[in-house]
Amino acid sequence: PEQVMDYLTRFSGLVHGDLDPTTSPHHLIPLKRSYTKLRFLVDRGYTFVGHGLNNDFRIINIYVPPEQIVDTVNLYHLPNRRKIALRFLSYLLLGQNIQADIHDSIEDARTALLLYQYYQKLTAEGRFEDELERIYEEGTRCGWQVPDP
């Protein structure tokens, strides 16, 4: 295998040793097996919840029917306005400071699920539209930046 020169840890979350089955603290599976599992879940009609999923599925070249995707980047979006980062939504709505050092895909997935559940709660209470306006107002006020802890 080729030697990795830069893991881009801030974005990938990977560090030296993560991809080596003899030293990785993670459960590693072959790429083909992960594609097979994903295809199984799609074919069984499972719903995928995440932030920016459409882009993720496009990058890995797999088609997932739109009715099987709940993408929080689209839920928390007003037409003709900017898309809101997961980190900002997490900070503002959940009081969580995620992605502070390196990318953690498990943390991102859990956060997207919590944001979806919060969306469902606000929608059931008839408060979602007002809250979305508040998010955009607050984002504009602070330049869409999460304050340092």
Short mmCIF file of all heavy atoms in Angstrom, two decimals, residues 50-52 71-73 76 83-94 96-99 103-116 146:
data_model
loop_
_atom_site.label_atom_id
_atom_site.label_comp_id
_atom_site.label_asym_id
_atom_site.label_seq_id
_atom_site.Cartn_x
_atom_site.Cartn_y
_atom_site.Cartn_z
N GLY A 50 -28.46 12.65 8.63
CA GLY A 50 -27.12 13.22 8.74
C GLY A 50 -27.12 14.66 8.28
O GLY A 50 -28.18 15.25 8.03
N HIS A 51 -25.95 15.24 8.19
CA HIS A 51 -25.78 16.63 7.80
C HIS A 51 -24.89 16.66 6.57
O HIS A 51 -23.72 16.31 6.64
CB HIS A 51 -25.14 17.44 8.94
CG HIS A 51 -25.27 18.91 8.79
ND1 HIS A 51 -26.40 19.59 9.13
CD2 HIS A 51 -24.40 19.83 8.32
CE1 HIS A 51 -26.23 20.89 8.89
NE2 HIS A 51 -25.02 21.05 8.40
N GLY A 52 -25.46 17.03 5.44
CA GLY A 52 -24.71 17.04 4.19
C GLY A 52 -24.67 15.67 3.53
O GLY A 52 -23.73 15.37 2.80
N ASP A 71 -31.79 15.10 5.74
CA ASP A 71 -30.55 15.87 5.77
C ASP A 71 -30.77 17.16 6.55
O ASP A 71 -31.50 18.04 6.10
CB ASP A 71 -30.10 16.16 4.34
CG ASP A 71 -28.65 16.57 4.25
OD1 ASP A 71 -28.13 17.13 5.25
OD2 ASP A 71 -28.04 16.34 3.20
N THR A 72 -30.15 17.26 7.71
CA THR A 72 -30.37 18.42 8.56
C THR A 72 -29.85 19.71 7.92
O THR A 72 -30.31 20.79 8.27
CB THR A 72 -29.74 18.23 9.95
OG1 THR A 72 -28.36 17.87 9.80
CG2 THR A 72 -30.46 17.15 10.73
N VAL A 73 -28.93 19.60 6.96
CA VAL A 73 -28.48 20.81 6.26
C VAL A 73 -29.64 21.41 5.47
O VAL A 73 -29.72 22.63 5.30
CB VAL A 73 -27.24 20.55 5.37
CG1 VAL A 73 -27.61 19.92 4.05
CG2 VAL A 73 -26.45 21.82 5.15
N TYR A 76 -32.71 22.71 8.24
CA TYR A 76 -32.40 24.01 8.86
C TYR A 76 -31.88 24.97 7.79
O TYR A 76 -30.78 25.50 7.90
CB TYR A 76 -31.37 23.83 9.98
CG TYR A 76 -31.92 23.12 11.19
CD1 TYR A 76 -31.80 21.73 11.33
CD2 TYR A 76 -32.57 23.82 12.20
CE1 TYR A 76 -32.31 21.08 12.44
CE2 TYR A 76 -33.07 23.18 13.32
CZ TYR A 76 -32.94 21.80 13.44
OH TYR A 76 -33.44 21.16 14.54
N LYS A 83 -26.35 27.92 3.73
CA LYS A 83 -26.54 26.67 4.47
C LYS A 83 -25.74 26.78 5.75
O LYS A 83 -24.68 27.41 5.80
CB LYS A 83 -26.10 25.48 3.62
CG LYS A 83 -27.03 25.30 2.43
CD LYS A 83 -26.82 24.02 1.71
CE LYS A 83 -27.88 23.93 0.62
NZ LYS A 83 -27.78 22.71 -0.14
N ILE A 84 -26.28 26.19 6.80
CA ILE A 84 -25.71 26.39 8.14
C ILE A 84 -24.88 25.18 8.54
O ILE A 84 -25.32 24.03 8.41
CB ILE A 84 -26.84 26.63 9.16
CG1 ILE A 84 -27.72 27.81 8.70
CG2 ILE A 84 -26.25 26.90 10.54
CD1 ILE A 84 -28.96 28.02 9.54
N ALA A 85 -23.70 25.44 9.05
CA ALA A 85 -22.78 24.38 9.47
C ALA A 85 -23.33 23.60 10.65
O ALA A 85 -24.00 24.15 11.54
CB ALA A 85 -21.42 24.99 9.84
N LEU A 86 -23.01 22.32 10.67
CA LEU A 86 -23.42 21.44 11.77
C LEU A 86 -22.88 21.97 13.10
O LEU A 86 -23.59 21.98 14.11
CB LEU A 86 -22.90 20.03 11.51
CG LEU A 86 -23.25 18.98 12.55
CD1 LEU A 86 -24.75 18.74 12.59
CD2 LEU A 86 -22.50 17.68 12.27
N ARG A 87 -21.66 22.44 13.09
CA ARG A 87 -21.04 22.94 14.33
C ARG A 87 -21.82 24.12 14.90
O ARG A 87 -22.05 24.21 16.11
CB ARG A 87 -19.59 23.34 14.05
CG ARG A 87 -18.87 23.78 15.31
CD ARG A 87 -17.37 23.88 15.08
NE ARG A 87 -16.73 24.07 16.38
CZ ARG A 87 -15.99 25.12 16.69
NH1 ARG A 87 -15.74 26.05 15.79
NH2 ARG A 87 -15.46 25.22 17.89
N PHE A 88 -22.25 25.03 14.02
CA PHE A 88 -23.00 26.19 14.49
C PHE A 88 -24.37 25.78 15.03
O PHE A 88 -24.80 26.24 16.09
CB PHE A 88 -23.16 27.23 13.38
CG PHE A 88 -23.81 28.49 13.85
CD1 PHE A 88 -23.07 29.44 14.53
CD2 PHE A 88 -25.17 28.72 13.64
CE1 PHE A 88 -23.67 30.61 15.01
CE2 PHE A 88 -25.76 29.88 14.10
CZ PHE A 88 -25.02 30.83 14.79
N LEU A 89 -25.07 24.92 14.31
CA LEU A 89 -26.39 24.45 14.78
C LEU A 89 -26.26 23.74 16.12
O LEU A 89 -27.09 23.93 17.02
CB LEU A 89 -27.02 23.52 13.75
CG LEU A 89 -27.52 24.15 12.46
CD1 LEU A 89 -27.89 23.09 11.44
CD2 LEU A 89 -28.70 25.08 12.74
N SER A 90 -25.24 22.91 16.25
CA SER A 90 -25.02 22.17 17.49
C SER A 90 -24.80 23.12 18.66
O SER A 90 -25.35 22.95 19.75
CB SER A 90 -23.83 21.24 17.34
OG SER A 90 -23.54 20.60 18.55
N TYR A 91 -23.98 24.13 18.43
CA TYR A 91 -23.69 25.11 19.48
C TYR A 91 -24.95 25.89 19.87
O TYR A 91 -25.30 26.00 21.04
CB TYR A 91 -22.60 26.07 19.02
CG TYR A 91 -22.43 27.25 19.93
CD1 TYR A 91 -21.78 27.12 21.15
CD2 TYR A 91 -22.95 28.50 19.59
CE1 TYR A 91 -21.65 28.19 22.01
CE2 TYR A 91 -22.82 29.58 20.44
CZ TYR A 91 -22.17 29.42 21.65
OH TYR A 91 -22.05 30.48 22.51
N LEU A 92 -25.65 26.40 18.87
CA LEU A 92 -26.78 27.28 19.14
C LEU A 92 -28.00 26.54 19.69
O LEU A 92 -28.64 27.00 20.62
CB LEU A 92 -27.17 28.04 17.86
CG LEU A 92 -28.21 29.14 18.04
CD1 LEU A 92 -27.68 30.25 18.94
CD2 LEU A 92 -28.60 29.71 16.68
N LEU A 93 -28.30 25.38 19.12
CA LEU A 93 -29.54 24.69 19.49
C LEU A 93 -29.37 23.64 20.57
O LEU A 93 -30.29 23.40 21.35
CB LEU A 93 -30.15 24.04 18.24
CG LEU A 93 -30.50 24.99 17.11
CD1 LEU A 93 -31.07 24.22 15.93
CD2 LEU A 93 -31.47 26.07 17.57
N LEU A 94 -28.22 23.00 20.61
CA LEU A 94 -28.01 21.91 21.56
C LEU A 94 -27.06 22.27 22.69
O LEU A 94 -26.91 21.50 23.64
CB LEU A 94 -27.48 20.67 20.83
CG LEU A 94 -28.30 20.16 19.64
CD1 LEU A 94 -27.57 19.02 18.94
CD2 LEU A 94 -29.70 19.75 20.08
N GLN A 96 -23.87 22.37 22.45
CA GLN A 96 -22.70 21.49 22.36
C GLN A 96 -21.65 22.11 21.45
O GLN A 96 -21.97 22.63 20.39
CB GLN A 96 -23.11 20.13 21.80
CG GLN A 96 -24.07 19.37 22.67
CD GLN A 96 -24.48 18.05 22.04
OE1 GLN A 96 -24.06 17.69 20.95
NE2 GLN A 96 -25.31 17.30 22.75
N ASN A 97 -20.40 22.02 21.87
CA ASN A 97 -19.29 22.52 21.07
C ASN A 97 -18.60 21.32 20.43
O ASN A 97 -17.76 20.67 21.05
CB ASN A 97 -18.32 23.31 21.93
CG ASN A 97 -17.28 24.04 21.09
OD1 ASN A 97 -17.35 24.04 19.86
ND2 ASN A 97 -16.31 24.63 21.75
N ILE A 98 -18.98 21.00 19.19
CA ILE A 98 -18.42 19.85 18.50
C ILE A 98 -17.34 20.30 17.52
O ILE A 98 -17.19 21.49 17.25
CB ILE A 98 -19.51 19.05 17.75
CG1 ILE A 98 -20.11 19.88 16.61
CG2 ILE A 98 -20.57 18.55 18.71
CD1 ILE A 98 -20.93 19.07 15.63
N GLN A 99 -16.59 19.35 17.01
CA GLN A 99 -15.57 19.61 15.99
C GLN A 99 -14.56 20.67 16.44
O GLN A 99 -14.03 21.41 15.62
CB GLN A 99 -16.21 20.04 14.66
CG GLN A 99 -17.20 19.06 14.11
CD GLN A 99 -17.95 19.60 12.91
OE1 GLN A 99 -18.01 20.80 12.69
NE2 GLN A 99 -18.54 18.71 12.14
N HIS A 103 -12.10 16.29 13.26
CA HIS A 103 -13.38 15.78 12.77
C HIS A 103 -13.64 14.41 13.38
O HIS A 103 -12.76 13.56 13.44
CB HIS A 103 -13.35 15.68 11.25
CG HIS A 103 -14.60 15.14 10.67
ND1 HIS A 103 -14.70 13.88 10.18
CD2 HIS A 103 -15.83 15.70 10.53
CE1 HIS A 103 -15.92 13.67 9.74
NE2 HIS A 103 -16.63 14.76 9.95
N ASP A 104 -14.86 14.20 13.86
CA ASP A 104 -15.27 12.91 14.41
C ASP A 104 -16.60 12.56 13.78
O ASP A 104 -17.64 13.15 14.13
CB ASP A 104 -15.37 13.01 15.93
CG ASP A 104 -15.76 11.71 16.60
OD1 ASP A 104 -16.34 10.83 15.94
OD2 ASP A 104 -15.49 11.57 17.81
N SER A 105 -16.62 11.62 12.86
CA SER A 105 -17.83 11.30 12.12
C SER A 105 -18.92 10.73 13.02
O SER A 105 -20.11 10.94 12.76
CB SER A 105 -17.53 10.32 10.98
OG SER A 105 -16.93 9.15 11.47
N ILE A 106 -18.55 10.04 14.09
CA ILE A 106 -19.56 9.51 15.02
C ILE A 106 -20.22 10.66 15.77
O ILE A 106 -21.45 10.70 15.92
CB ILE A 106 -18.92 8.48 15.97
CG1 ILE A 106 -18.47 7.27 15.17
CG2 ILE A 106 -19.90 8.08 17.08
CD1 ILE A 106 -17.64 6.27 15.95
N GLU A 107 -19.43 11.61 16.22
CA GLU A 107 -19.96 12.81 16.88
C GLU A 107 -20.90 13.56 15.93
O GLU A 107 -21.98 14.00 16.33
CB GLU A 107 -18.81 13.70 17.31
CG GLU A 107 -19.22 14.99 17.99
CD GLU A 107 -18.03 15.84 18.35
OE1 GLU A 107 -17.25 16.21 17.44
OE2 GLU A 107 -17.87 16.15 19.54
N ASP A 108 -20.50 13.70 14.67
CA ASP A 108 -21.34 14.37 13.68
C ASP A 108 -22.67 13.64 13.49
O ASP A 108 -23.73 14.26 13.41
CB ASP A 108 -20.62 14.47 12.34
CG ASP A 108 -19.48 15.47 12.33
OD1 ASP A 108 -19.25 16.13 13.38
OD2 ASP A 108 -18.83 15.59 11.29
N ALA A 109 -22.62 12.32 13.39
CA ALA A 109 -23.84 11.53 13.18
C ALA A 109 -24.78 11.67 14.37
O ALA A 109 -26.00 11.86 14.19
CB ALA A 109 -23.48 10.07 12.95
N ARG A 110 -24.26 11.59 15.56
CA ARG A 110 -25.10 11.73 16.77
C ARG A 110 -25.72 13.12 16.84
O ARG A 110 -26.88 13.28 17.19
CB ARG A 110 -24.26 11.47 18.02
CG ARG A 110 -23.94 10.03 18.23
CD ARG A 110 -23.19 9.81 19.53
NE ARG A 110 -22.89 8.40 19.70
CZ ARG A 110 -21.74 7.92 20.13
NH1 ARG A 110 -20.77 8.75 20.47
NH2 ARG A 110 -21.55 6.63 20.24
N THR A 111 -24.92 14.11 16.49
CA THR A 111 -25.40 15.50 16.52
C THR A 111 -26.51 15.71 15.50
O THR A 111 -27.53 16.34 15.80
CB THR A 111 -24.24 16.47 16.27
OG1 THR A 111 -23.24 16.27 17.28
CG2 THR A 111 -24.70 17.91 16.30
N ALA A 112 -26.34 15.18 14.30
CA ALA A 112 -27.38 15.30 13.27
C ALA A 112 -28.68 14.64 13.74
O ALA A 112 -29.77 15.18 13.53
CB ALA A 112 -26.91 14.69 11.96
N LEU A 113 -28.57 13.49 14.39
CA LEU A 113 -29.77 12.82 14.90
C LEU A 113 -30.45 13.66 15.98
O LEU A 113 -31.68 13.82 15.98
CB LEU A 113 -29.43 11.44 15.44
CG LEU A 113 -30.60 10.62 15.97
CD1 LEU A 113 -31.67 10.40 14.89
CD2 LEU A 113 -30.12 9.28 16.52
N LEU A 114 -29.67 14.24 16.87
CA LEU A 114 -30.25 15.12 17.91
C LEU A 114 -30.91 16.34 17.28
O LEU A 114 -31.98 16.78 17.73
CB LEU A 114 -29.17 15.56 18.90
CG LEU A 114 -28.64 14.48 19.83
CD1 LEU A 114 -27.44 15.00 20.62
CD2 LEU A 114 -29.74 13.98 20.77
N LEU A 115 -30.31 16.90 16.24
CA LEU A 115 -30.91 18.05 15.55
C LEU A 115 -32.21 17.67 14.86
O LEU A 115 -33.16 18.44 14.84
CB LEU A 115 -29.93 18.65 14.55
CG LEU A 115 -28.78 19.46 15.15
CD1 LEU A 115 -27.74 19.77 14.09
CD2 LEU A 115 -29.30 20.74 15.79
N TYR A 116 -32.27 16.48 14.29
CA TYR A 116 -33.50 16.00 13.67
C TYR A 116 -34.60 15.82 14.72
O TYR A 116 -35.75 16.24 14.52
CB TYR A 116 -33.25 14.69 12.92
CG TYR A 116 -34.50 14.11 12.32
CD1 TYR A 116 -35.34 14.87 11.50
CD2 TYR A 116 -34.86 12.79 12.58
CE1 TYR A 116 -36.49 14.32 10.95
CE2 TYR A 116 -36.01 12.25 12.03
CZ TYR A 116 -36.82 13.02 11.22
OH TYR A 116 -37.96 12.47 10.69
N VAL A 146 -18.71 29.99 16.05
CA VAL A 146 -18.89 29.45 17.40
C VAL A 146 -17.78 30.05 18.26
O VAL A 146 -16.60 29.97 17.89
CB VAL A 146 -18.80 27.91 17.39
CG1 VAL A 146 -18.80 27.35 18.79
CG2 VAL A 146 -19.94 27.32 16.55
#
